[in-house]
Amino acid sequence: MGKSPLLAFWLVVLPACTHSKSLSPDAPDANRGYFADALNCRQSALRTEAIKVPTAHSMSVIEVPTTYDTGKFVVCMAYAERPVSRVDLSDYLNISSTCLNEARNMANPDDAYADCIQRSRLNIEIITDK
């Protein structure tokens, strides 16, 4: 009776610890969340400027988007463990924005975004800490 919970534990833990095909970069789920990561990184890289606008009895502050910080976009994508370009950061951001717009209304935006990035002529790689 004492061995059956231990056996059940090992049957659950052992497959989770082994290297499976689903963890390889070529797996079908490798693109899961790619579109969302790119969209979040693009939004976080947006620079804004605070402008004071007079209202009837006070001053209001409005955040106006000005430009994108390409370095911040690349750091965000690298942190999300997504392929990034090391050559021309502005081209990478522009192509990523184009791919986001292209994949926006697709049935599977993650795969559509990944295909668009692969079709581009960017030299992208996965940056690791190693």
Side-chain angles (χ1 to χ4, degrees):
M1 193 150 154
K3 291 185 180 182
S4 84
L6 186 60
L7 179 64
F9 172 76
W10 284 112
L11 289 176
V12 171
V13 171
L14 189 59
C17 295
T18 60
H19 183 71
S20 65
K21 187 175 180 180
S22 64
L23 298 177
S24 70
D26 297 331
D29 290 340
N31 295 331
R32 180 174 286 157
Y34 199 6
F35 178 81
D37 288 341
L39 188 62
N40 290 336
C41 288
R42 184 172 180 259
Q43 289 172 347
S44 70
L46 181 63
R47 289 185 184 170
T48 58
E49 184 176 327
I51 297 177
K52 293 182 180 179
V53 177
T55 57
H57 299 287
S58 65
M59 295 290 278
S60 297
V61 177
I62 298 175
E63 295 286 328
V64 178
T66 56
T67 186
Y68 288 95
D69 184 351
T70 55
K72 191 173 182 180
F73 177 76
V74 170
V75 168
C76 180
M77 290 296 280
Y79 181 77
E81 297 180 356
R82 299 298 180 177
V84 297
S85 174
R86 289 186 173 215
V87 180
D88 189 4
L89 302 183
S90 61
D91 279 349
Y92 179 52
L93 180 62
N94 291 336
I95 290 172
S96 177
S97 298
T98 302
C99 291
L100 282 169
N101 288 333
E102 181 181 309
R104 185 164 304 221
N105 296 322
M106 297 291 187
N108 189 346
D110 294 329
D111 290 337
Y113 179 80
D115 290 341
C116 180
I117 291 292
Q118 288 176 351
R119 284 193 316 266
S120 71
R121 299 187 192 277
L122 288 174
N123 181 17
I124 58 174
E125 60 187 65
I126 297 176
I127 299 174
T128 61
D129 291 337
K130 296 177 184 178

